[in-house]
Amino acid sequence: MAILAVVISVSFMACSNDDNDETEKDNFVSIITNGAWSQDGDNDIISISKDGTGFMFENSNSYNSNTKTGYSFSWVYSNNTITIKTTGYYENGNKTESYSDTDKWIVTSFSNSKIVLTNAEDESDIWTWKRYN
């Protein structure tokens, strides 16, 4: 009977951690897909959709006029890491290049107004995104 109690308590603890991970994931996805982000030190404006796609506009004019000059990408968030796969480059809404480039970024911190990402392969490469709108 004691062994059964231990097994049940371990099962509940495992579920509790899974629930916390899912809550954190839900919070991050809700924040990152709400509005647009500007990248610190760059003119880029990043727009991320809940459907796992996004677009990195080369500047605020491109974003505000929705002329789509920049990079399209897909993204996945798991285990505190966002994987971004660039899928193409657009000029004035027309796709000019297709390619596949994948980067993994560790989510160092996030809030409603700021996200800090560290490149998983180069810890000196840090992106700071601030809420654009």
Side-chain angles (χ1 to χ4, degrees), residues 25 37 53:
K25 178 181 179 178
W37 300 88
T53 63

Side-chain angles (χ1 to χ4, degrees), residues 65-84:
S65 65
N66 200 24
T67 57
K68 285 210 173 187
T69 295
Y71 298 89
S72 61
F73 61 89
S74 61
W75 67 276
V76 176
Y77 177 77
S78 180
N79 299 321
N80 204 42
T81 301
I82 184 168
T83 302
I84 298 173

Side-chain angles (χ1 to χ4, degrees), residues 37-46 56 127-130:
W37 300 88
S38 62
Q39 185 172 316
D40 191 25
D42 236 335
N43 292 326
D44 297 336
I45 305 297
I46 301 118
M56 183 176 288
W127 283 359
T128 301
W129 293 354
K130 294 183 180 174

